[in-house]
């Protein structure tokens, strides 16, 4: 018996969200925002919080500073019963932060990556890997040292008997340097969205990308917003529609909630079709409340939203 079902390795930061801003910001002047929230940011943390609320025992490994924002990150994870015992605090670094200037449906963001940028394979011991059955890694392009060590970390996890999943997320540098032949053999479930999948595989279409990736990948699950999702593995190909929501609040974190839904079923050994359907449901549920974790306060709340918004019982 392992201590945790899922170990999450990835980005950690806070989001400072400014809302109801009177005007566009201009250099040399000052404007007022009429609303402000300081919340847990980062895809990996949304994934960890939500899969924990879905009922899994979860631990997080990431890097923060020993500062006020680091405390916000730690407290928020603990409030969702995610263990922070493997989080590395560095006194000489600052916790990452994203300032979000929110204008209705759209937003401008400025991110200071801070400590998370310095997480590397050396920070991830075999003992820590051995504490969990499943390893989920996210946002590798925000963590260049981890990206360099990714094959090593994943192959160690596999040799310790873990199952693995990877959500690459966006590459702000636009380089998309990701060696599919080296890394994907050690990834049981690869979870990009469609744009990321096309850029990583250097393809024009899903079919072309799948052809390129199939010699190396075990399972690829491609998220496609309101068009649902697609799954490919050696002996199966599936497409499932999204759970359409007529009252979308926002889509922040939908992909991370999708991942949480998929992996929660995957580690229970459910078939691919059930994993994909539940993932779409969790992505849809995510869009009914603010941010990535608003709809995932408790299992009762998730079940209630599933029935009320989508007529779905689970
Ligand atoms: N507008 C939407 N309506 C219903 N479901 C959605 C919507 N947007 C996203 N989803 C669900 O969430 C999943 C992930 O969303 P997507 O935007 O593709 O990922 P990411 O957030 O990584 O870009 C989709 O595959 C879908 O199941
Ligand atoms: Mg995503």
């Amino acid at each position: 018996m392992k201590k945790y079902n899922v170990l999450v390795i990835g980005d950690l930061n806070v989001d400072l969200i400014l809302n109801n801003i009177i005007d566009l910001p201009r250099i040399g002047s000052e404007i007022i925002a009429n609303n402000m929230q300081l919340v847990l940011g980062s895809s990996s943390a949304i994934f960890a919080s939500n899969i924990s609320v879905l009922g899994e025992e979860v631990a997080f490994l990431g890097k923060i500073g020993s500062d006020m924002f680091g405390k916000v990150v730690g407290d928020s994870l603990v409030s969702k019963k995610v263990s922070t015992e493997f989080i590395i605090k560095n006194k000489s670094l600052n916790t990452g932060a994203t300032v979000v200037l929110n204008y209705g449906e759209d937003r401008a963001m400025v991110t200071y990556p801070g400590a998370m940028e310095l997480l590397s394979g050396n920070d991830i011991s075999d003992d820590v890997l051995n504490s969990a059955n499943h390893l989920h890694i996210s946002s590798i392009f925000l963590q260049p040292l981890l990206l360099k060590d990714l094959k090593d970390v994943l192959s160690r996890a596999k040799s310790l008997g873990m199952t693995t999943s990877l959500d690459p997320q966006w590459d702000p540098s636009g380089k998309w340097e990701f060696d599919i032949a080296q890394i994907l053999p050690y990834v049981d479930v690869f979870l990009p969205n469609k744009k990321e999948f096309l850029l990583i595989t250097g393809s024009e279409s899903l079919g072309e990308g799948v052809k390129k990736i199939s010699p190396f990948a075990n399972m690829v699950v491609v998220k496609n917003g309101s068009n649902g999702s697609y799954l490919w593995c050696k002996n199966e190909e599936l497409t499932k529609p999204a759970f359409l929501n007529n009252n979308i609040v926002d889509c922040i974190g939908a992909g991370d909630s999708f991942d949480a839904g998929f992996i929660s079923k995957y580690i229970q050994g459910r078939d691919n079709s059930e994993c994909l359907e539940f993932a779409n449901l969790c992505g849809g549920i995510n869009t009914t409340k603010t941010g990535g974790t608003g709809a995932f306060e408790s299992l009762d709340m998730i079940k209630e939203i599933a029935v009320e918004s989508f007529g779905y019982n689970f």
Side-chain angles (χ1 to χ4, degrees):
M1 272 293 281
K2 303 274 175 92
K3 189 169 177 189
Y4 300 107
N5 300 335
V6 182
L7 173 69
V8 182
I9 298 181
D11 52 329
L12 278 178
N13 68 272
V14 295
D15 283 349
L16 179 69
I17 305 171
L18 302 177
N19 265 308
N20 284 328
I21 309 171
I22 301 303
D23 202 350
L24 292 176
R26 260 177 294 119
I27 304 293
S29 71
E30 183 170 356
I31 50 171
I32 297 290
N34 284 308
N35 181 280
M36 180 186 85
Q37 288 166 295
L38 181 66
V39 297
L40 178 64
S42 66
S43 325
S44 310
I46 294 171
F47 171 87
S49 299
N50 293 354
I51 196 166
S52 172
V53 174
L54 285 171
E56 304 303 330
E57 295 288 329
V58 185
F60 203 105
L61 192 161
K63 219 169 219 183
I64 55 177
S66 36
D67 50 13
M68 210 176 69
F69 284 170
K71 185 166 173 3
V72 172
V73 164
D75 289 352
S76 309
L77 288 171
V78 166
S79 78
K80 294 292 175 77
K81 297 197 168 68
V82 175
S83 167
T84 54
E85 72 164 307
F86 303 133
I87 288 184
I88 301 158
K89 274 191 194 166
N90 187 318
K91 281 205 180 94
S92 54
L93 300 172
N94 291 315
T95 304
T98 297
V99 177
V100 183
L101 306 180
N102 209 14
Y103 292 89
E105 295 285 285
D106 235 327
R107 58 198 80 86
M109 299 192 276
V110 184
T111 292
Y112 170 69
M116 71 163 116
E117 224 177 12
L118 296 175
L119 185 75
S120 78
N122 292 333
D123 295 314
I124 304 160
S125 70
D126 281 358
D127 279 350
V128 173
L129 293 175
N130 240 332
S131 72
N133 294 307
H134 182 87
L135 172 65
H136 180 81
I137 300 182
S138 183
S139 308
I140 40 165
F141 300 111
L142 296 178
Q143 303 167 97
L145 304 181
L146 181 61
L147 179 57
K148 201 167 56 63
D149 296 339
L150 195 57
K151 181 190 165 184
D152 167 65
V153 173
L154 286 164
S155 65
R156 279 196 283 131
K158 288 309 297 174
S159 65
L160 292 167
M162 300 181 89
T163 49
T164 59
S165 51
L166 177 69
D167 185 333
Q169 305 285 7
W170 194 253
D171 182 1
S173 79
K175 292 185 193 151
W176 299 96
E177 281 166 356
F178 180 87
D179 191 337
I180 53 174
Q182 288 287 314
I183 294 168
L184 289 184
Y186 302 101
V187 177
D188 293 313
V189 188
F190 183 48
L191 293 151
N193 71 22
K194 189 173 175 191
K195 271 190 199 155
E196 293 155 1
F197 176 75
L198 296 179
L199 286 160
I200 282 171
T201 56
S203 305
E204 298 283 317
S205 70
L206 204 57
E208 186 191 342
V210 167
K211 225 180 206 165
K212 285 188 184 166
I213 219 169
S214 57
F216 316 109
N218 295 297
M219 186 189 292
V220 183
V221 181
V222 181
K223 293 163 272 186
N224 195 8
S226 57
N227 295 312
S229 54
Y230 165 85
L231 179 150
W232 174 93
C233 69
K234 297 254 185 294
N235 49 15
E236 200 172 14
E237 216 176 350
L238 293 167
T239 306
K240 294 248 183 205
F243 285 79
L244 287 180
N245 167 17
N246 295 324
N247 300 304
I248 291 177
V249 175
D250 67 56
C251 293
I252 299 168
D256 310 310
S257 297
F258 175 102
D259 294 355
F262 192 95
I263 296 303
S264 72
K265 293 289 179 191
Y266 178 83
I267 60 180
Q268 290 164 13
R270 304 303 173 88
D271 63 31
N272 295 337
S273 171
E274 189 177 340
C275 295
L276 198 61
E277 182 162 308
F278 191 63
N280 278 338
L281 179 69
C282 288
I285 287 172
N286 183 110
T287 66
T288 64
K289 297 256 193 294
T290 317
T293 56
F296 288 75
E297 286 295 329
S298 68
L299 194 55
D300 283 344
M301 182 189 213
I302 301 169
K303 286 183 171 173
E304 221 175 279
I305 297 174
V307 172
E308 275 176 14
S309 300
F310 307 111
Y312 192 98
N313 259 301
F314 74 91

